[in-house]
Amino acid sequence: MAKIQAIRGMNDILPADTPVWQYLEETVRKLVSSYGFSEIRMPTVEKTELFKRSIGEVTDIVEKEMYTFEDRNGDSLTLRPEGTAGCVRAAEEHGLLYNQIQRLWYTGPMFRHERPQKGRYRQFHQIGVEAFGMNGPDIDAEVICLTARLWEALGVADSVELQINSLGSAAARQTYREALIAYLSGYKDQLDEDSQRRLDSNPLRILDSKSAQTQEILNSAPDFQDFIDAESRQHFNELLSLLDAVGIKYKINPRLVRGLDYYGKTVFEWVTESLGSQGTVCAGGRYDGLVEQLGGKPTPAVGFAMGVERLVLLITTLARVPDYVNAFSDVYVIVAGANAGLPAYSLSITEVLRKALPGCRIVLNCGGGSLKSQMKKADKENAAYAVIIGDDEYSDKNVSVKSMRKDRLLPGGDMQMKIEKSALAGLLQSLLK
Ligand code: ATP
Ligand code: MG
């Protein structure tokens, strides 16, 4: 029978790769907690209306990327394409937002029907951070600091660049929008296809068009800086001086707009040149209007989302994953002999070891096999030490310990030694600490 394969653009994350994912997730978990953020977990599926109303009808995501389906009740549901909408929905639904400050984060799979390629998938993972109830530039600076600290922790700080911009107030964007439409209408035929389509519906998105010719036309377009409102300008300037104060370098990119309608004032992206064209590893900004747009009281908010696949690619491409992450096992227990008491003897020794060495990875050979084949398995596990239990060890109430790597010798520089069963845990404890 033909084998059934995974869906295009939806990846299995295999055992060889999960240690890097876990390392990344663990690093993030510690860091966000050190900034006082608490985890929130939302469902993967939400009502379609939630995304239409928040992300915007005329965006790539809502127009052509959502996995939308009718469930058995006839309701229109969508696999979440991003986390902010669901996070706001959940926080609002449970009364976490009104008159309160919240610092929340989440992680999980997101779904977008895009053309799969390196760094762009149909199921991908994001880590998102959202801060509610604070309207000053200080919290914008704080979430950007958090990302900068993460790049340091992951050893990629010198490979990512912060691009930042202000989209101003809704009113300023509206006036600018009209000026932009008036200007670009004169060049309509020369714009790329997507931009032509967006000219009336979502002209700001034309600013980040990938087409060289469109970008050329934009060089003489009205400048948003001439339209930005005084309050947003001040917010932006204060943010920049806060970033200066903590030594975070940035590049102001006046063409930076985001693919979701809910952003205003601050927007930013962290971009790398090490991953080819899928170079944005983190993107976010301020979205003061969203909570109200979803039926809540006006609540200022700022946040960002990171692409986990792109970060995993980045730290592996740049070889920044610490060695310990991929070191598989500490101890491999080999059971080779004919004595009927051996299985119980070795099982109980291994359990004692696991209790005495919490945090160590100890693999017991199950299913028998020759000494040679078990040694091969120990090698494959990359074990630091093998504990060998055979018929002699069983009758003498001791065990053999063998160093499996040159950098992990036994006391006195031995490769192999025998030791009383009762002293084994103590020996390994001192060797593995
Ligand atoms: P892009 O311009 O690359 O399409 P976007 O603006 O659509 O990105 P956001 O919605 O801001 O992306 O999502 C935040 C981050 O999530 C992105 O910066 C990226 O790292 C990651 N991301 C977005 N879409 C995908 C995808 N299809 N596959 C993998 N990662 C993704
Ligand atoms: Mg996209």
Side-chain angles (χ1 to χ4, degrees), residues 65 112 114 120:
E65 294 174 358
R112 297 184 193 177
E114 304 196 67
R120 190 177 292 285

Side-chain angles (χ1 to χ4, degrees), residues 60-61 65 81-82 112 114 119-126 205 208 210 258-260 263 269-270 277-284 304-310:
D60 279 351
I61 296 180
E65 294 174 358
E82 54 98 58
R112 297 184 193 177
E114 304 196 67
R120 190 177 292 285
Y121 312 101
R122 291 182 173 173
Q123 173 173 331
F124 62 100
H125 298 75
Q126 283 185 339
R205 278 310 304 276
D208 73 348
K210 303 258 177 341
R258 307 271 312 109
L260 307 96
Y263 288 108
E269 288 191 358
W270 285 94
S277 49
Q278 267 44 260
T280 304
V281 291
C282 172
F304 63 80
M306 303 185 269
V308 181
E309 280 78 359
R310 291 185 194 178

Side-chain angles (χ1 to χ4, degrees), residues 165-177 179-180 204 207 221-229 232-233 236 254-257 264-265 267:
N165 190 23
S166 176
L167 298 179
S169 67
R173 277 197 303 285
Q174 185 56 33
T175 325
Y176 179 61
R177 193 188 132 105
L180 197 59
L204 258 58
L207 292 178
D223 189 345
F224 184 65
Q225 289 314 303
D226 301 332
F227 293 76
I228 190 172
D229 52 295
S232 298
R233 186 194 304 279
F236 193 50
R255 303 255 168 105
L256 181 68
V257 292
K265 286 189 178 161
V267 286

Side-chain angles (χ1 to χ4, degrees), residues 56 114 116 131 172 297 309 338 380 422:
E114 304 196 67
K297 295 265 188 313
E309 280 78 359
K380 207 173 156 204
S422 56

